[in-house]
Amino acid sequence: MMTNLPNYTFDKQQWPHLRNINLADPDYNVSRPIDILLNAGIYADIIMAGILRGSPEAPIAQQTKLGWVLMGNVKTFNCHVILNNIDDISRFWEMEEIMETRPESPDGHYCETLYNNTTRRRDDGRYEVKIPMKPNYEQHLGTTKPQAIAQFKQLEKRLAKDEQLAKSYKAFIHEYQQLDHMKKCTTSREPSCILPHQGVVRPDSTTTKLRVVFNASANTSSGHSLNALMEGGPNIQQDLQAIIMRWRTYQFVYTADIEKFYRQILVREEDQHLQKSCGEIRQQTLSQSTNFALLRTVRRLRYS
């Protein structure tokens, strides 16, 4: 945005070296809008050799094809005030403001209430939660067994071709069983959901080379996935800028990585039929005990 030039009108001074020349802007002391802007290339074409100098505090007159122009330093003491739109400034600061709390969404309130009312701590110290399914989800959850078995057969072919992958995959499944993070399914309840799974190999990882991912975003026969029929819950991820600013208030900061963090929270037995998966014996189903609700966001990002 261009303002008037000069910013305000002032009285001319009678400098002797400027008395007998034709100025390109005779009213240079009057505050007016700028008529035209010329770039440096045009200035080089119109400048001429004449230069007039006065006292050290007076401006220099430079001859051009458009007339004489004034330049140089003039000792003045001015207060320039630029008025801006206060509403625009307010919106700018609102966008840049660090928000510690976010507005609560309806599904977030539902999940908070559900967890407060149903979460319990078992005798062994581990927590058990209910999956926050949407109302009447049973009417929209289609069959999943054919798709899960088909993908499991493809996985078996892949493991048959890669001995190292097969060894790592079996070790993962056995560890799952030994840690009691899954168990054999001995009851039948409909509608149930069988999750297809696959291995993601990360050779550059220094900790886990293989990660087995259970795909809850896979569509069932009705076109709805388990993720789509679950409430998303509130966004619990804090603003990165707020975290960095808060860290600066302490002298020491510690970070920690909890091994198998999400698996430490169990899903109550009444909801485990929604987290079945094909096991090592074809068409045999296993029921997981991981907290699928907490893993929902990660899996949706990975498979969307």
Side-chain angles (χ1 to χ4, degrees), residues 108-266:
H109 177 72
Y110 168 79
C111 291
E112 291 282 354
T113 304
L114 178 72
Y115 284 131
N116 287 334
N117 296 335
T118 61
T119 301
R120 74 180 185 91
R121 190 170 187 178
R122 307 193 325 171
D123 295 337
D124 58 2
R126 299 175 69 180
Y127 287 93
E128 186 179 74
V129 300
K130 175 179 173 61
I131 298 180
M133 302 301 298
K134 294 181 178 179
N136 302 319
Y137 76 90
E138 299 90 348
Q139 302 176 10
H140 305 285
L141 185 62
T143 58
T144 55
K145 188 174 182 179
Q147 301 94 310
I149 292 179
Q151 184 162 336
F152 185 65
K153 291 180 179 179
Q154 293 295 326
L155 175 62
E156 284 185 323
K157 294 179 181 180
R158 181 185 174 190
L159 298 181
K161 297 178 182 179
D162 192 332
E163 182 179 354
Q164 182 59 40
L165 177 62
K167 182 179 179 181
S168 300
Y169 213 100
K170 291 178 181 179
F172 169 83
I173 295 297
H174 290 157
E175 181 189 46
Y176 234 77
Q177 291 177 304
Q178 293 171 1
L179 296 176
D180 197 26
H181 292 168
M182 70 177 180
K183 61 182 179 181
K184 289 185 179 180
C185 183
T186 57
T187 59
S188 177
R189 179 181 171 184
E190 297 298 335
S192 62
C193 183
I194 302 178
L195 304 178
H197 55 90
Q198 64 177 0
V200 178
V201 181
R202 300 171 56 190
D204 56 334
S205 175
T206 57
T207 55
T208 306
K209 303 292 184 181
L210 170 70
R211 289 187 179 275
V212 177
V213 181
F214 296 87
N215 185 7
S217 294
N219 288 336
T220 65
S221 59
S222 64
H224 297 278
S225 67
L226 182 65
N227 275 346
L229 297 176
M230 259 196 298
E231 295 289 0
N235 182 9
I236 60 176
Q237 183 176 2
Q238 298 184 21
D239 182 77
L240 181 58
Q241 186 179 7
I243 295 176
I244 295 176
M245 294 291 290
R246 189 166 63 250
W247 277 18
R248 293 178 64 87
T249 62
Y250 298 94
Q251 183 178 2
F252 302 102
V253 177
Y254 298 91
T255 61
D257 183 14
I258 302 177
E259 185 179 6
K260 301 175 179 58
F261 172 78
Y262 293 111
R263 294 198 227 158
Q264 306 308 319
I265 303 177
L266 305 178

Side-chain angles (χ1 to χ4, degrees), residues 176 180-183 195 197 214 267-268 271-273 275-277 286-292 295 299:
Y176 234 77
D180 197 26
H181 292 168
M182 70 177 180
K183 61 182 179 181
L195 304 178
H197 55 90
F214 296 87
V267 169
R268 71 176 191 174
D271 292 341
Q272 291 179 8
H273 66 287
Q275 297 190 118
K276 295 181 179 180
S277 184
L286 298 176
S287 177
Q288 298 173 240
S289 299
T290 58
N291 181 5
F292 190 81
L295 288 176
R299 291 174 184 167

